[in-house]
Amino acid sequence: EDKVVQSPLSLVVHEGDTVTLNCSYEVTNFRSLLWYKQEKKAPTFLFMLTSSGIEKKSGRLSSILDKKELFSILNITATQTGDSAVYLCAGSPQGAQKLVFGQGTRLTINP
Amino acid sequence: KAGVTQTPRYLIKTRGQQVTLSCSPISGHRSVSWYQQTPGQGLQFLFEYFSETQRNKGNFPGRFSGRQFSNSRSEMNVSTLELGDSALYLCASSPDGLAGNNEQFFGPGTRLTVL
């Protein structure tokens, strides 16, 4: 059965810190790994990763995929209180439009 | 472009009733997926529709069903509601998950409470 595991489940840091969120996956016929940010309701799309070793960046956020070790990390530098959210990681298999989600990491940024 | 819209946003039903939720995808998107989100189980895939056909299905009982219309709008139906069906139901749209990229964009969700 396909599985995605995120760690830590919860993280509290101070504004300005750098955080690294982890995601390991076991997805049959893996195609891509996606990261989402969920604040109140709808998860908002952050990154989609399909190739190993190629970092994707968007402002203070970056992510990379390791297809050999079956994991991905999401980095957030110079954190702000607005980064407080649940960060979700999801794996997607080939030939199927479905996402297998991890439990999420609840990130809290204290001022 | 307008985002994914879902109606209603909140719904309260009693056990045994049935419910229909609606989702309008981003204009031009042809794939619509449905997910159930609960505190205990997280986000779980229900099913996906493309060109009015169910293309993928998750591990949910037959009480959960859906359909897609020719304009790509989708509905999901839950019959004989149980207390455990209380959840946030999220709809996501994608241009075409198999042929190209499969980024999915989520709607705001429908919060269903079963009493």
Side-chain angles (χ1 to χ4, degrees):
Chain A
E1 188 180 324
D2 295 339
K3 187 169 66 173
V4 174
V5 177
Q6 292 185 244
S7 65
L9 294 181
S10 181
L11 187 58
V12 181
V13 300
H14 290 292
E15 202 168 20
D17 288 351
T18 292
V19 298
T20 298
L21 310 184
N22 303 296
C23 174
S24 65
Y25 64 90
E26 293 175 27
V27 175
T28 306
N29 295 324
F30 172 81
R31 171 165 59 165
S32 56
L33 190 290
L34 293 88
W35 284 96
Y36 288 85
K37 176 183 181 183
Q38 187 173 29
E39 295 175 87
K40 297 292 186 187
K41 287 283 165 64
T44 54
F45 173 79
L46 295 175
F47 297 112
M48 184 176 75
L49 303 148
T50 56
S51 302
S52 260
I54 298 175
E55 185 183 54
K56 291 217 171 178
K57 276 184 77 85
S58 176
R60 297 175 293 102
L61 278 66
S62 64
S63 184
I64 197 160
L65 176 69
D66 185 329
K67 290 171 79 171
K68 183 180 174 190
E69 300 297 331
L70 306 183
F71 80 87
S72 174
I73 60 172
L74 175 69
N75 279 319
I76 308 175
T77 59
T79 52
Q80 303 170 358
T81 54
D83 295 327
S84 294
V86 174
Y87 289 83
L88 296 160
C89 160
S92 179
Q94 298 271 2
Q97 179 65 326
K98 67 179 261 192
L99 297 176
V100 179
F101 280 90
Q103 324 92 295
T105 293
R106 181 172 296 278
L107 177 63
T108 303
I109 312 295
N110 288 327
Chain B
K1 272 187 183 176
V4 179
T5 59
Q6 292 187 244
T7 57
R9 295 291 307 278
Y10 302 90
L11 207 46
I12 300 175
K13 293 284 188 180
T14 55
R15 278 181 299 173
Q17 287 187 308
Q18 77 166 29
V19 66
T20 299
L21 313 181
S22 181
C23 171
S24 292
I26 293 169
S27 177
H29 285 194
R30 299 165 65 193
S31 168
V32 174
S33 300
W34 288 90
Y35 294 83
Q36 181 196 65
Q37 187 173 31
T38 59
Q41 299 297 318
L43 263 159
Q44 292 185 289
F45 173 75
L46 281 156
F47 30 65
E48 183 241 351
Y49 286 86
F50 179 80
S51 289
E52 302 177 63
T53 301
Q54 186 182 88
R55 210 162 48 169
N56 296 287
K57 189 175 188 309
N59 297 323
F60 279 82
R63 299 185 297 106
F64 292 82
S65 63
R67 60 178 174 167
Q68 187 180 35
F69 302 95
S70 57
N71 62 358
S72 294
R73 191 177 70 85
S74 176
E75 290 181 345
M76 69 163 279
N77 184 278
V78 188
S79 62
T80 319
L81 284 166
E82 300 177 0
L83 295 179
D85 297 333
S86 294
L88 180 66
Y89 289 89
L90 290 160
C91 159
S93 81
S94 179
D96 179 348
L98 297 185
N101 66 63
N102 63 334
E103 295 156 340
Q104 292 188 28
F105 300 91
F106 284 84
T110 294
R111 171 75 63 187
L112 172 65
T113 302
V114 182
L115 303 175

